[in-house]
Amino acid sequence: MTRTVLWLTIGLAALGGAAQAQTTLRDIQARNAAAQAVDDVRRDMLSNQIDVSNANERARTQVILRDLNDQRSGTLPPRDDAARRDAELSASISRMERLTQDALDQSNARMRAIKPASQPN
């Protein structure tokens, strides 16, 4: 009788250990999924920052090319045109900053939407 109880106890302990291992595996998988989601959001943020930087460079290049084209064609802009170009460049920079902030806000919203692995489903 004692042997039967001993074997029964060992069997139940083994089953409990298997259940614990299953729970641990689920926790690890949930943490890995959350880490992957965070990496995806970071990658999106970096991509948005690169897009904004590229747009800034395109705008700056367009201004430079327009000025060079005006100089080549002999139609030099009057002095007041320089102030207009500065205002346009400033407006473009402000627009890019707004776009950057919007992209950051979207990324932050995605980050907040990710459930931590410790939260129950």
Side-chain angles (χ1 to χ4, degrees):
M1 182 74 134
T2 306
R3 258 191 184 162
T4 306
V5 172
L6 179 62
W7 284 111
L8 184 60
T9 305
I10 291 173
L12 289 175
L15 287 175
Q20 179 66 25
Q22 186 72 15
T23 303
T24 302
L25 180 60
R26 285 188 191 130
D27 290 343
I28 291 170
Q29 288 173 337
R31 273 187 256 131
N32 287 344
Q36 181 66 38
V38 169
D39 286 343
D40 289 344
V41 170
R42 284 183 184 148
R43 203 173 8 253
D44 288 345
M45 285 177 55
L46 182 59
S47 175
N48 288 339
Q49 289 173 346
I50 290 170
D51 290 344
V52 167
S53 175
N54 289 341
N56 279 332
E57 285 301 313
R58 279 193 302 272
R60 191 174 74 76
T61 301
Q62 286 175 348
V63 169
I64 291 170
L65 289 176
R66 191 175 355 168
D67 289 346
L68 290 173
N69 191 33
D70 288 346
Q71 288 176 0
R72 189 184 73 189
S73 66
T75 57
L76 292 175
R79 281 277 195 209
D80 294 336
D81 219 18
R84 180 185 56 81
R85 278 194 319 270
D86 288 344
E88 286 176 1
L89 186 59
S90 178
S92 293
I93 289 172
S94 295
R95 181 175 173 270
M96 289 301 142
E97 287 174 351
R98 280 194 314 273
L99 290 174
T100 303
Q101 188 60 45
D102 290 345
L104 181 62
D105 291 342
Q106 288 175 357
S107 296
N108 286 340
R110 279 187 240 135
M111 289 289 287
R112 285 189 295 273
I114 296 172
K115 292 182 181 178
S118 61
Q119 268 187 353
N121 290 334

